[in-house]
Amino acid sequence: MSKVELPPSVLDCLKNEMQIEMEHFFKKYDSFDDSFKATANILLVDMLRVSKESSSFNEDVYFYEDGTHEQNEFMDAMFDCFKLFNELQSSKIDLLKMMYKYHSRSEGYWFPVVVISKPLASYLNEPSEFILYRGCYLDEYNSKAYRQSWTSDLDTAKRFAFIYGDFNKNNRVVVKAKIKNTDIAWIVEIITEHEVVLLPDFSPIEDAIELRYTQYCESKNQ
Protein backbone atom coordinates (compact mmCIF):
# COMPACT_ATOMS: atom_id res chain seq x y z
CA MET A 1 0.00 0.00 0.00
CA SER A 2 1.35 3.42 -0.93
CA LYS A 3 2.53 5.61 1.96
CA VAL A 4 2.81 8.78 -0.11
CA GLU A 5 -0.40 10.74 -0.51
CA LEU A 6 -1.35 13.89 -2.38
CA PRO A 7 -0.96 16.97 -0.13
CA PRO A 8 -4.38 18.17 1.15
CA SER A 9 -3.85 21.72 -0.16
CA VAL A 10 -3.22 20.40 -3.68
CA LEU A 11 -6.16 18.00 -3.45
CA ASP A 12 -8.47 20.83 -2.39
CA CYS A 13 -7.35 23.06 -5.28
CA LEU A 14 -7.68 20.34 -7.91
CA LYS A 15 -11.05 19.12 -6.68
CA ASN A 16 -12.81 22.32 -5.64
CA GLU A 17 -11.17 25.17 -7.56
CA MET A 18 -10.22 23.45 -10.83
CA GLN A 19 -13.11 20.93 -10.58
CA ILE A 20 -10.93 18.06 -11.76
CA GLU A 21 -12.46 14.58 -11.76
CA MET A 22 -10.40 12.96 -9.03
CA GLU A 23 -11.04 9.33 -9.97
CA HIS A 24 -9.42 9.96 -13.35
CA PHE A 25 -6.60 11.95 -11.73
CA PHE A 26 -5.80 9.30 -9.10
CA LYS A 27 -5.79 6.53 -11.69
CA LYS A 28 -2.78 8.31 -13.17
CA TYR A 29 -1.22 9.54 -9.91
CA ASP A 30 -1.46 6.13 -8.22
CA SER A 31 0.20 4.42 -11.18
CA PHE A 32 3.52 5.96 -10.07
CA ASP A 33 5.82 4.64 -7.35
CA ASP A 34 6.29 6.42 -4.03
CA SER A 35 9.64 7.87 -5.03
CA PHE A 36 8.16 9.77 -7.95
CA LYS A 37 5.02 10.68 -5.98
CA ALA A 38 7.20 12.33 -3.34
CA THR A 39 8.98 14.34 -6.04
CA ALA A 40 5.68 15.22 -7.71
CA ASN A 41 4.18 16.36 -4.41
CA ILE A 42 7.00 18.82 -3.80
CA LEU A 43 6.57 20.23 -7.29
CA LEU A 44 2.76 20.39 -7.05
CA VAL A 45 2.87 22.24 -3.72
CA ASP A 46 5.28 24.72 -5.26
CA MET A 47 3.08 25.13 -8.35
CA LEU A 48 0.08 25.85 -6.13
CA ARG A 49 2.03 28.40 -4.08
CA VAL A 50 3.42 30.20 -7.14
CA SER A 51 0.07 30.14 -8.96
CA LYS A 52 -1.48 32.15 -6.11
CA GLU A 53 1.43 34.51 -5.48
CA SER A 54 3.31 35.15 -8.72
CA SER A 55 2.66 37.06 -11.92
CA SER A 56 5.50 35.22 -13.68
CA PHE A 57 4.49 31.57 -13.31
CA ASN A 58 6.74 30.26 -16.12
CA GLU A 59 9.82 31.85 -14.58
CA ASP A 60 9.12 30.92 -10.96
CA VAL A 61 8.21 27.24 -11.34
CA TYR A 62 10.66 24.43 -12.09
CA PHE A 63 9.67 22.64 -15.30
CA TYR A 64 10.21 18.92 -14.60
CA GLU A 65 11.58 16.77 -17.42
CA ASP A 66 13.87 14.38 -15.54
CA GLY A 67 11.66 11.29 -15.43
CA THR A 68 10.14 8.70 -17.72
CA HIS A 69 7.85 9.69 -20.57
CA GLU A 70 4.74 9.10 -18.44
CA GLN A 71 6.18 11.00 -15.47
CA ASN A 72 7.17 13.95 -17.64
CA GLU A 73 3.76 13.91 -19.35
CA PHE A 74 2.01 14.01 -15.96
CA MET A 75 4.11 16.88 -14.66
CA ASP A 76 3.75 18.76 -17.96
CA ALA A 77 -0.04 18.46 -17.70
CA MET A 78 -0.04 19.65 -14.10
CA PHE A 79 2.25 22.55 -15.01
CA ASP A 80 -0.29 23.61 -17.64
CA CYS A 81 -3.16 23.27 -15.13
CA PHE A 82 -1.53 25.51 -12.56
CA LYS A 83 -0.40 27.96 -15.22
CA LEU A 84 -4.03 28.33 -16.34
CA PHE A 85 -5.08 28.61 -12.71
CA ASN A 86 -2.50 31.37 -12.24
CA GLU A 87 -3.81 33.27 -15.25
CA LEU A 88 -7.57 32.73 -14.83
CA GLN A 89 -8.34 32.12 -11.15
CA SER A 90 -10.11 35.49 -11.01
CA SER A 91 -12.67 34.14 -13.51
CA LYS A 92 -13.88 30.67 -12.56
CA ILE A 93 -15.97 30.31 -15.72
CA ASP A 94 -13.06 31.14 -18.03
CA LEU A 95 -10.81 28.77 -16.08
CA LEU A 96 -13.26 25.89 -16.44
CA LYS A 97 -13.77 26.57 -20.14
CA MET A 98 -10.04 26.67 -20.87
CA MET A 99 -9.24 23.57 -18.82
CA TYR A 100 -12.18 21.62 -20.26
CA LYS A 101 -11.14 22.36 -23.83
CA TYR A 102 -7.37 22.32 -23.29
CA HIS A 103 -5.56 21.20 -26.44
CA SER A 104 -3.69 18.32 -24.81
CA ARG A 105 -6.95 16.40 -24.32
CA SER A 106 -7.45 16.15 -28.07
CA GLU A 107 -3.88 15.32 -29.01
CA GLY A 108 -3.49 11.91 -27.40
CA TYR A 109 -1.75 13.12 -24.24
CA TRP A 110 -2.92 12.59 -20.68
CA PHE A 111 -4.61 15.62 -19.18
CA PRO A 112 -6.98 15.91 -16.18
CA VAL A 113 -10.70 15.70 -16.90
CA VAL A 114 -12.62 18.76 -15.75
CA VAL A 115 -16.22 18.39 -14.60
CA ILE A 116 -18.55 21.30 -15.36
CA SER A 117 -21.18 20.74 -12.67
CA LYS A 118 -23.29 23.89 -13.16
CA PRO A 119 -24.49 25.77 -16.25
CA LEU A 120 -21.98 28.39 -17.38
CA ALA A 121 -24.82 30.50 -18.79
CA SER A 122 -28.60 30.41 -19.01
CA TYR A 123 -29.92 28.32 -21.90
CA LEU A 124 -33.61 28.65 -21.08
CA ASN A 125 -34.14 30.77 -24.20
CA GLU A 126 -32.87 27.93 -26.36
CA PRO A 127 -35.30 25.34 -27.76
CA SER A 128 -36.79 23.29 -24.92
CA GLU A 129 -35.42 20.06 -26.43
CA PHE A 130 -32.26 19.24 -28.37
CA ILE A 131 -31.17 16.30 -30.51
CA LEU A 132 -27.51 15.51 -29.80
CA TYR A 133 -25.02 12.81 -30.80
CA ARG A 134 -22.04 11.22 -29.11
CA GLY A 135 -19.36 8.85 -30.40
CA CYS A 136 -18.49 6.44 -27.60
CA TYR A 137 -17.91 2.86 -26.55
CA LEU A 138 -20.88 0.49 -26.53
CA ASP A 139 -20.32 -0.04 -22.79
CA GLU A 140 -20.99 3.65 -22.19
CA TYR A 141 -24.33 3.38 -23.96
CA ASN A 142 -25.27 0.19 -22.11
CA SER A 143 -24.39 1.63 -18.71
CA LYS A 144 -25.93 5.06 -19.48
CA ALA A 145 -22.91 6.55 -17.70
CA TYR A 146 -22.43 9.16 -20.39
CA ARG A 147 -19.59 11.66 -20.46
CA GLN A 148 -20.36 15.35 -20.75
CA SER A 149 -19.29 16.14 -24.33
CA TRP A 150 -21.89 15.79 -27.10
CA THR A 151 -22.41 17.38 -30.51
CA SER A 152 -25.37 18.59 -32.52
CA ASP A 153 -23.62 17.43 -35.71
CA LEU A 154 -23.91 13.76 -36.71
CA ASP A 155 -20.78 13.82 -38.90
CA THR A 156 -18.72 15.10 -35.96
CA ALA A 157 -20.00 12.24 -33.79
CA LYS A 158 -19.05 9.76 -36.52
CA ARG A 159 -15.49 11.10 -36.57
CA PHE A 160 -15.15 10.77 -32.80
CA ALA A 161 -16.67 7.28 -32.86
CA PHE A 162 -14.84 5.73 -35.78
CA ILE A 163 -11.92 7.87 -36.99
CA TYR A 164 -10.19 9.68 -34.13
CA GLY A 165 -8.18 7.66 -31.62
CA ASP A 166 -6.54 4.26 -31.51
CA PHE A 167 -9.16 1.77 -30.31
CA ASN A 168 -11.23 -1.23 -31.35
CA LYS A 169 -13.77 0.43 -33.60
CA ASN A 170 -16.09 -2.57 -33.50
CA ASN A 171 -16.90 -1.61 -29.91
CA ARG A 172 -17.75 1.96 -30.88
CA VAL A 173 -21.17 3.46 -31.65
CA VAL A 174 -22.84 6.78 -32.31
CA VAL A 175 -25.59 7.48 -29.79
CA LYS A 176 -28.51 9.80 -30.56
CA ALA A 177 -30.24 11.42 -27.60
CA LYS A 178 -33.04 13.88 -26.98
CA ILE A 179 -32.25 16.17 -24.05
CA LYS A 180 -33.84 19.15 -22.27
CA ASN A 181 -32.30 22.61 -22.37
CA THR A 182 -32.03 22.42 -18.57
CA ASP A 183 -29.48 19.59 -19.07
CA ILE A 184 -27.02 21.94 -20.79
CA ALA A 185 -23.91 23.09 -18.96
CA TRP A 186 -22.24 24.89 -21.85
CA ILE A 187 -22.79 25.43 -25.57
CA VAL A 188 -19.23 25.79 -26.82
CA GLU A 189 -18.71 28.87 -28.96
CA ILE A 190 -16.31 27.11 -31.37
CA ILE A 191 -18.61 25.78 -34.12
CA THR A 192 -16.25 23.33 -35.84
CA GLU A 193 -17.33 20.46 -33.58
CA HIS A 194 -20.77 21.89 -32.65
CA GLU A 195 -20.05 20.78 -29.10
CA VAL A 196 -22.63 20.87 -26.33
CA VAL A 197 -21.48 20.03 -22.80
CA LEU A 198 -24.17 18.44 -20.63
CA LEU A 199 -24.47 18.40 -16.86
CA PRO A 200 -22.91 15.32 -15.21
CA ASP A 201 -26.23 14.01 -13.85
CA PHE A 202 -28.33 14.62 -16.96
CA SER A 203 -30.86 12.01 -17.99
CA PRO A 204 -31.90 11.94 -21.66
CA ILE A 205 -35.57 12.00 -22.56
CA GLU A 206 -34.72 9.19 -24.95
CA ASP A 207 -31.55 7.66 -26.37
CA ALA A 208 -30.68 5.00 -28.90
CA ILE A 209 -27.82 3.74 -31.02
CA GLU A 210 -27.83 5.73 -34.23
CA LEU A 211 -24.91 3.98 -35.94
CA ARG A 212 -22.65 0.97 -35.39
CA TYR A 213 -19.22 0.52 -36.96
CA THR A 214 -20.44 -2.09 -39.48
CA GLN A 215 -23.18 0.29 -40.62
CA TYR A 216 -20.66 3.12 -40.89
CA CYS A 217 -18.39 0.97 -43.09
CA GLU A 218 -21.31 -0.06 -45.27
CA SER A 219 -22.32 3.57 -45.76
CA LYS A 220 -18.77 4.48 -46.80
CA ASN A 221 -18.74 1.70 -49.42
CA GLN A 222 -21.96 2.76 -51.08
Side-chain angles (χ1 to χ4, degrees):
M1 183 176 178
S2 174
K3 297 179 181 179
V4 178
E5 296 182 352
L6 191 70
S9 59
V10 175
L11 175 61
D12 179 69
C13 181
L14 299 184
K15 181 179 180 180
N16 298 316
E17 298 189 73
M18 299 186 193
Q19 293 187 199
I20 286 173
E21 184 185 78
M22 298 313 298
E23 182 179 354
H24 176 262
F25 174 86
F26 277 118
K27 184 177 181 181
K28 188 71 171 181
Y29 179 82
D30 288 335
S31 70
F32 300 119
D33 61 31
D34 281 357
S35 176
F36 175 72
K37 282 185 181 180
T39 298
N41 286 352
I42 293 172
L43 296 171
L44 292 171
V45 167
D46 191 53
M47 288 180 190
L48 175 59
R49 177 188 63 81
V50 173
S51 69
K52 292 193 172 186
E53 297 176 358
S54 174
S55 60
S56 56
F57 184 85
N58 284 9
E59 297 175 8
D60 294 340
V61 169
Y62 174 68
F63 188 81
Y64 182 87
E65 49 187 351
D66 304 323
T68 66
H69 170 73
E70 285 202 354
Q71 291 169 348
N72 292 345
E73 179 185 63
F74 174 77
M75 293 310 308
D76 183 35
M78 299 315 299
F79 179 94
D80 288 345
C81 284
F82 280 103
K83 183 175 184 294
L84 289 171
F85 183 66
N86 173 252
E87 296 170 348
L88 299 170
Q89 60 185 298
S90 62
S91 174
K92 182 69 171 284
I93 289 178
D94 289 340
L95 174 65
L96 293 179
K97 286 180 177 181
M98 284 296 293
M99 289 190 64
Y100 190 91
K101 292 296 294 179
Y102 198 66
H103 68 88
S104 295
R105 292 184 61 188
S106 61
E107 295 180 358
Y109 299 102
W110 182 87
F111 194 80
V113 171
V114 171
V115 177
I116 299 180
S117 57
K118 297 180 180 179
L120 300 185
S122 174
Y123 299 107
L124 297 179
N125 291 330
E126 299 289 338
S128 60
E129 296 178 355
F130 278 72
I131 297 296
L132 299 178
Y133 303 91
R134 175 169 169 78
C136 63
Y137 285 102
L138 180 60
D139 287 347
E140 183 175 327
Y141 169 75
N142 288 335
S143 68
K144 309 302 181 185
Y146 291 123
R147 307 293 295 189
Q148 288 190 266
S149 290
W150 291 70
T151 176
S152 58
D153 180 61
L154 177 57
D155 287 335
T156 297
K158 290 178 184 178
R159 290 194 293 272
F160 276 92
F162 308 126
I163 298 176
Y164 300 156
D166 182 18
F167 36 63
N168 182 354
K169 294 178 174 59
N170 287 305
N171 291 330
R172 304 280 293 181
V173 295
V174 171
V175 176
K176 177 181 179 180
K178 180 187 291 187
I179 63 100
K180 303 183 291 292
N181 62 9
T182 52
D183 291 326
I184 298 173
W186 178 28
I187 296 178
V188 182
E189 292 84 358
I190 301 172
I191 64 171
T192 51
E193 294 177 358
H194 305 274
E195 184 175 8
V196 178
V197 180
L198 301 182
L199 295 170
D201 58 351
F202 88 96
S203 179
I205 299 169
E206 57 187 52
D207 60 342
I209 293 175
E210 176 74 6
L211 198 66
R212 297 178 184 271
Y213 183 58
T214 53
Q215 295 170 310
Y216 170 77
C217 293
E218 289 170 0
S219 68
K220 298 296 286 185
N221 292 331
Q222 290 177 355

